[in-house]
Amino acid sequence: RGEAAGPRRGRGGAARGGRGALSRRSRAVRSQRGQAMGAEAAGPRDPAPGQQLRALFYALPPGESSFRTVEEVPDYVDKSIPFFITFIGLEFAVSWIQKRKLPGRINDGISSLSLGILSRLPDVLFRSIDLISYIYVWNNYRLFELPWDSPLTWYLTLLGVDFAYYCFHRISHEVNILWAAHQVHHSSEDYNLFTALRQSVLQKYTSWMFNLPMALFIPPSVFAVHLQFNLLYQFWIHTEVITKLGPLEWILNTPSHHRVHHGRNPYCIDKNYGGTLIIWDRIFGTFEAEDAKVVYGLTHPVNSFDPIMLQLRPLAHIWNTFWATPGFCNKLSVIFKGPGWGPGKPRLGLPEEIPVITGKEVPFNPPVPAYLNCYALVHFAIIVDLYTELLASISMLSQGTVLLRIGFIILSLASFGLLMENKSKAGILEIIRCLVFIGVYKLGYFRSQFSFLGYAYEV
């Protein structure tokens, strides 16, 4: 019995030791899982100012811009706002030194910035549809997984995102319903860094599908980085103060190449679609070098500074043309063929119908008293302050407060557009806007980043 009991006790001790080892291993696994969950739950990392600056030029190497989870990816776009303002000021200074003239106008600049703010407001309420759709495909349909921390994955994603942008950008010029959204970016008759911020609020709801093939094998965290870098790179190329960049002109999209893209000269139409790289245009036959002086804007100018009108009027035009065009197939062609199409014409319209450029084109610039321009500029600066404060405090605000602030920002941007057109109803709308501001500011629904300006804002 003693001999029998010994081995049983030994086996029991071994079993308890085994259970202890298993327990220790399970605790280690739980600890590792906890650390992983903690990493996933961690908020986005804040890039250093130098890194943020280099992100504008797609100059952050893989070692500084690779992240395991989407949650860790910084919001490079919103954190670039101070650099946007700095570079815009620098562009004004260089343009004045070079040509003794400013690169833009107050009314057009405020209009471009208003459209930029308007385009970002949906992201305050909802996660980017680009990421939502991409993560869904990645979670449910991915074929294999490339390592998130591999430089090869990083550079492959750079090429993939830029090629997807080329495809989407080209189709946006060749399909009327997509052009109705994208034309907002082309509606300025100036070409400067303000124009880079002139974005469509609707475009993102059609561009997301072009990125989905990458979701079959490229991790979302890598995609989220390059989606932002590709957009930020296109900021600094919207300028006339930089001429040519030598050998880089063969590979990269440069200010010279992108000036052609924004031109309404016949030789500029539907050219140079690349985002970061110009190689796609060279490969697929859509490249055109800068030649004659470029005249900017749409072939048929919209002539408005109202951001709501600029966003919606092209859709109204398609709606009216759709019902005015006879025949079911022709109606579909109004939507899915080029903006220059008409019954009996080629898919993209007739090149000879593009208005001839004489060099005497005068940008839309209604006469407005200087004091009114100053008034609009000061009040727009206040709205920019309220907008950036909203971005900084979004997680601490109720849904109702967020919606109230967004509604007031939209009202303000529309009012400024009418003021700069000197419309008769602008004064009434502006009085209503100011009264609304006083009410909600007194009730504490608005807050400035600069507390010492509170009284000045009320005045």
Side-chain angles (χ1 to χ4, degrees):
R1 283 196 302 273
E3 291 175 359
R8 280 199 297 270
R9 283 196 298 271
R11 284 194 298 270
R16 284 192 297 273
R19 283 195 296 271
L22 286 172
S23 177
R24 285 191 297 273
R25 283 196 295 271
S26 66
R27 282 197 299 270
V29 169
R30 284 197 299 270
S31 175
Q32 290 171 0
R33 287 176 179 170
Q35 290 171 6
M37 291 174 65
E40 290 178 4
R45 300 181 186 179
D46 287 331
Q51 291 178 315
Q52 187 63 54
L53 176 62
R54 284 183 286 137
L56 280 172
F57 300 93
Y58 225 128
L60 274 184
E64 296 181 62
S65 55
S66 296
F67 305 92
R68 193 174 70 85
T69 66
V70 172
E71 288 76 14
E72 296 176 63
V73 176
D75 191 339
Y76 289 105
V77 175
D78 282 339
K79 291 185 182 300
S80 294
I81 291 175
F83 290 100
F84 293 159
I85 296 170
T86 301
F87 278 106
I88 287 170
L90 185 62
E91 181 188 34
F92 270 68
V94 172
S95 179
W96 182 258
I97 293 170
Q98 286 180 343
K99 307 174 183 178
R100 292 298 172 188
K101 71 173 187 177
L102 298 179
R105 298 162 291 151
I106 291 176
N107 46 22
D108 190 80
I110 290 179
S111 177
S112 292
L113 292 175
S114 297
L115 288 162
I117 291 174
L118 199 62
S119 72
R120 299 288 295 175
L121 289 178
D123 295 336
V124 174
L125 294 172
F126 314 108
R127 197 173 189 178
S128 166
I129 189 171
D130 293 285
L131 282 178
I132 291 174
S133 57
Y134 193 97
I135 291 172
Y136 176 81
V137 173
W138 169 262
N139 286 338
N140 294 280
Y141 301 106
R142 71 177 179 265
L143 302 177
F144 56 92
E145 181 174 343
L146 293 178
W148 64 269
D149 54 353
S150 167
L152 180 61
T153 305
W154 195 95
Y155 287 108
L156 181 63
T157 310
L158 185 157
L159 293 173
V161 168
D162 201 59
F163 180 65
Y165 178 82
Y166 171 86
C167 295
F168 163 71
H169 196 184
R170 182 170 180 174
I171 290 176
S172 292
H173 280 250
E174 297 183 357
V175 175
N176 202 16
I177 191 67
L178 300 183
W179 171 248
H182 182 63
Q183 61 81 36
V184 172
H185 182 62
H186 287 264
S187 58
S188 174
E189 295 177 272
D190 295 338
Y191 187 76
N192 50 42
L193 294 178
F194 284 126
T195 311
L197 305 177
R198 193 182 188 95
Q199 298 293 327
S200 168
V201 73
L202 300 173
Q203 181 172 293
K204 66 185 74 177
Y205 300 107
T206 55
S207 62
W208 56 272
M209 62 188 74
F210 291 83
N211 296 310
L212 295 185
M214 290 182 286
L216 299 175
F217 53 92
I218 292 176
S221 62
V222 186
F223 167 73
V225 168
H226 287 276
L227 187 67
Q228 295 185 78
F229 284 0
N230 190 274
L231 177 64
L232 288 174
Y233 178 89
Q234 296 176 57
F235 170 72
W236 70 272
I237 62 177
H238 288 81
T239 185
E240 290 187 295
V241 301
I242 299 174
T243 53
K244 299 277 188 177
L245 294 179
L248 295 178
E249 301 279 335
W250 287 94
I251 302 171
L252 298 177
N253 192 13
T254 64
S256 175
H257 297 329
H258 206 58
R259 284 194 289 270
V260 171
H261 180 72
H262 273 260
R264 60 184 184 184
N265 312 55
Y267 86 92
C268 298
I269 301 300
D270 296 339
K271 300 295 181 182
N272 298 359
Y273 294 111
T276 301
L277 304 171
I278 203 66
I279 57 174
W280 315 117
D281 291 283
R282 295 185 183 276
I283 292 170
F284 297 108
T286 53
F287 174 75
E288 188 70 43
E290 188 176 20
D291 186 11
K293 179 175 173 54
V294 178
V295 177
Y296 303 107
L298 301 171
T299 55
H300 300 88
V302 180
N303 292 340
S304 177
F305 298 122
D306 180 358
I308 309 301
M309 174 71 73
L310 289 167
Q311 297 279 359
L312 299 180
R313 191 158 77 174
L315 292 173
H317 175 71
I318 290 178
W319 175 264
N320 294 332
T321 306
F322 177 86
W323 291 111
T325 303
F328 179 73
C329 291
N330 284 340
K331 288 183 184 296
L332 290 180
S333 295
V334 168
I335 297 174
F336 296 110
K337 289 188 177 179
W341 178 86
K345 297 179 184 178
R347 182 176 68 88
L348 298 180
L350 296 169
E352 55 266 27
E353 291 185 350
I354 298 172
V356 176
I357 296 300
T358 64
K360 299 178 181 179
E361 288 74 17
V362 178
F364 176 65
N365 196 27
V368 174
Y371 72 85
L372 200 55
N373 273 329
C374 292
Y375 175 90
L377 189 60
V378 169
H379 279 258
F380 182 77
I382 294 173
I383 292 301
V384 171
D385 174 28
L386 297 178
Y387 168 70
T388 52
E389 200 279 331
L390 170 63
L391 296 179
S393 60
I394 183 69
S395 60
M396 299 180 288
L397 300 175
S398 68
Q399 193 78 354
T401 302
V402 171
L403 290 173
L404 180 63
R405 292 190 183 190
I406 288 175
F408 181 76
I409 288 172
I410 294 172
L411 172 65
S412 299
L413 299 179
S415 181
F416 299 154
L418 295 178
L419 281 175
M420 291 181 296
E421 294 178 27
N422 213 2
K423 293 288 183 69
S424 57
K425 58 185 177 182
I428 297 173
L429 182 61
E430 182 61 13
I431 290 172
I432 294 172
R433 187 191 75 86
C434 289
L435 291 175
V436 170
F437 175 82
I438 288 292
V440 295
Y441 198 82
K442 283 289 189 182
L443 292 172
Y445 289 105
F446 282 148
R447 185 186 309 161
S448 168
Q449 296 182 95
F450 313 104
S451 57
F452 62 90
L453 289 177
Y455 180 70
Y457 281 3
E458 292 179 29
V459 171

